[in-house]
Structure formats: structure tokens, C-alpha cells
């Protein structure tokens, strides 16, 4: 069984500050890890994903995440927050590279608030 | 990236009526689609896996007679909420699996159902 824990249901940062959204996972097999962003009343957009290879993954909109097997973590970061980054962020795990023959297991989500 | 479209984006219906939500992969064929339900400020819960040409696979606790899923073609899956009640009000999101190159999931924009 797989599970995802996102620490902090709400994270507030100032515009221009570092964004750090935490994600820890549990998986009995090598995991494939994903970060998605959701804007109000919209579907999910893939930010980045880790499948194999380099553990530091770069995504869209300046986001990146690092897979740390020893810590079972896949934290999402962005050096400088922008107002447009305000949204809900979901970490997800799968045992399949693209996201699952059986879908994704999502964390509860972190609401990112950007203070002007 | 690939495009998945859901229709309608918003629907309001009276209690006891049935509502159909469509999920279409616009520029790729999807043998597998997934239906998720999202309650306000919560994560996505997988409801069922929709397989083209065969019966859907429902997650534990999801009533298959209440949430009818039909995947009649490689680009269309439908979710019908039968005899809807106010507790069925939610945000429903579909995703479609693009087999090549890596089975990535692409999400629809979501459909907000309100049952009066």
C-alpha cells in the first residue's frame, strides 16, 4: 500500500520568498512521485515528476523537487514566490511511471498563500 | 501536453434526478480513465477506474449502482450520478492515461455538481 503525507495544510510566504512544501511518502516498491497544482475550480496540472535517474527534478514555473530515498521525502521548492503561485498543491505517489495502472494516491494537499 | 475535457463544468440539479458528466481525451486515445471526487478543501479520492470496452472497477465504498461509469470509446468516459442527493454534491475530476511514452495521466478541468 502507498500513502502520502503533506505537512501543513496551509503555507504562507511573502512574495519573493522561498517556497517549501513538504511531502513524505510510504511505498513498498520503488515509488514514482508527482507534484500537481490546482487552481480554484480547475483540474490538476502536473508540475513535475520523479521516475528514475536524477533525484533533483525541475518542473514548470520555476519549481523543483528532490527525491530523498533515505528520508522518504519529495519536497517541492521554488526560490522566489510569485503571486500567481497561490494555489493548492498535491503530492502523489504511484507504482507506475506515468501515474498508475490504478491511478494515483494523493496527499491531502497544501494551500499556498502568497503575501504581498 | 495532452488535453482532457470535462463537460459540464458546472451543473445544478434537483434531488432525485440523474446527471451525466463526460470526460473526453481530445488528442489521444485513452484505454483507461479514472474518476475522482474532491470535497471542499480536501484531496482527491479515487472513485473508479474506467476501462474501454469493459466494466469499471470501483474503489471500496463507492456505490456502483449510484455512480454509473461507461467507457464506450477510446476517447470518452461518462459518469452518471443516479438519483442524486445533496450529499452527492462535490467536485468530480476525471483523468485519462496516455499510454505513450510513459502512461502519464492528464486531468480534466473538473465538474462541480450541486444537488438541491
Amino acid at each position: 500500500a502507498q500513502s502520502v503525507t503533506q505537512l501543513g495544510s496551509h503555507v504562507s510566504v511573502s512574495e519573493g520568498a522561498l517556497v517549501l512544501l513538504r511531502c513524505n511518502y510510504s511505498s513498498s516498491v520503488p515509488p514514482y512521485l508527482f507534484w500537481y497544482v490546482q487552481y480554484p475550480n480547475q483540474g490538476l496540472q502536473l508540475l513535475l515528476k520523479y521516475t528514475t535517474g536524477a533525484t533533483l527534478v525541475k518542473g514548470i514555473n520555476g519549481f523543483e523537487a528532490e527525491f530523498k530515498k533515505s528520508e522518504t521525502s519529495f519536497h517541492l521548492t521554488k526560490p522566489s514566490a510569485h503571486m500567481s503561485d497561490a494555489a493548492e498543491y498535491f503530492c502523489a505517489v504511484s507504482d507506475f511511471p506515468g501515474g498508475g495502472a490504478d491511478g494515483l494516491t494523493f496527499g491531502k494537499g497544501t494551500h499556498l498563500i502568497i503575501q504581498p | 501536453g495532452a488535453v482532457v475535457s470535462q463537460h459540464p463544468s458546472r451543473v445544478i440539479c434537483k434531488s432525485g434526478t440523474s446527471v451525466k458528466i463526460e470526460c473526453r481525451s481530445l488528442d489521444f486515445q485513452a484505454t483507461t480513465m479514472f474518476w475522482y471526487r474532491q470535497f471542499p478543501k480536501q484531496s482527491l479520492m479515487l472513485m473508479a477506474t474506467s476501462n474501454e470496452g469493459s466494466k469499471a472497477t470501483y474503489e471500496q465504498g463507492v456505490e456502483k449502482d449510484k455512480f454509473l461509469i461507461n467507457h464506450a470509446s477510446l476517447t470518452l468516459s461518462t459518469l452518471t450520478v443516479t438519483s442524486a442527493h445533496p450529499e452527492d454534491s462535490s467536485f468530480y475530476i476525471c483523468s485519462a492515461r496516455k499510454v505513450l511514452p510513459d502512461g502519464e495521466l492528464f486531468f480534466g478541468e473538473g465538474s462541480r455538481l450541486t444537488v438541491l
Side-chain angles (χ1 to χ4, degrees):
Chain A
Q2 298 174 317
S3 65
V4 175
T5 301
Q6 290 184 241
L7 296 177
S9 59
H10 291 76
V11 170
S12 180
V13 302
S14 298
E15 189 175 18
L18 171 72
V19 175
L20 170 61
L21 304 182
R22 299 178 186 274
C23 172
N24 289 87
Y25 69 90
S26 172
S27 177
S28 59
V29 298
Y32 299 97
L33 296 158
F34 307 79
W35 274 101
Y36 287 88
V37 60
Q38 183 182 33
Y39 297 99
N41 293 311
Q42 293 188 28
L44 275 67
Q45 181 182 12
L46 180 66
L47 279 176
L48 49 80
K49 62 182 177 182
Y50 168 77
T51 52
T52 58
T55 56
L56 181 62
V57 181
K58 295 186 184 296
I60 62 172
N61 301 340
F63 285 94
E64 61 182 37
E66 185 171 11
F67 170 59
K68 292 187 176 181
K69 184 178 179 180
S70 61
E71 300 177 8
T72 61
S73 69
F74 191 56
H75 302 330
L76 181 71
T77 60
K78 182 174 180 178
S80 178
H82 192 273
M83 296 299 291
S84 61
D85 295 327
E88 193 78 18
Y89 291 81
F90 292 96
C91 182
V93 64
S94 174
D95 57 3
F96 191 81
D102 56 352
L104 292 158
T105 300
F106 287 92
K108 292 185 180 298
T110 298
H111 187 63
L112 178 61
I113 301 164
I114 310 297
Q115 305 279 7
Chain B
V3 179
V4 175
S5 178
Q6 274 184 249
H7 179 80
S9 58
R10 292 177 180 269
V11 57
I12 301 173
C13 70
K14 293 182 178 180
S15 185
T17 61
S18 294
V19 174
K20 180 185 286 187
I21 301 170
E22 294 185 345
C23 178
R24 293 181 184 273
S25 55
L26 297 185
D27 52 359
F28 67 98
Q29 293 182 331
T31 55
T32 304
M33 293 185 176
F34 302 93
W35 286 96
Y36 294 86
R37 183 174 181 176
Q38 185 179 30
F39 291 101
K41 301 186 186 303
Q42 294 190 29
S43 188
L44 283 75
M45 301 297 295
L46 179 65
M47 297 175 65
T49 302
S50 171
N51 299 300
E52 188 268 336
S54 64
K55 291 183 178 181
T57 303
Y58 290 83
E59 295 300 300
Q60 191 173 9
V62 177
E63 299 176 62
K64 60 182 180 181
D65 294 331
K66 175 116 181 109
F67 299 100
L68 300 179
I69 292 173
N70 188 346
H71 195 153
S73 78
L74 288 171
T75 58
L76 174 65
S77 176
T78 60
L79 168 67
T80 302
V81 183
T82 62
S83 187
H85 290 281
E87 58 266 30
D88 299 326
S89 299
S90 192
F91 195 55
Y92 294 88
I93 302 177
C94 74
S95 67
R97 181 166 169 258
K98 187 178 181 184
V99 175
L100 296 175
D102 62 0
E104 183 173 342
L105 292 181
F106 293 89
F107 287 80
E109 313 96 321
S111 299
R112 182 162 300 285
L113 170 63
T114 302
V115 184
L116 303 177

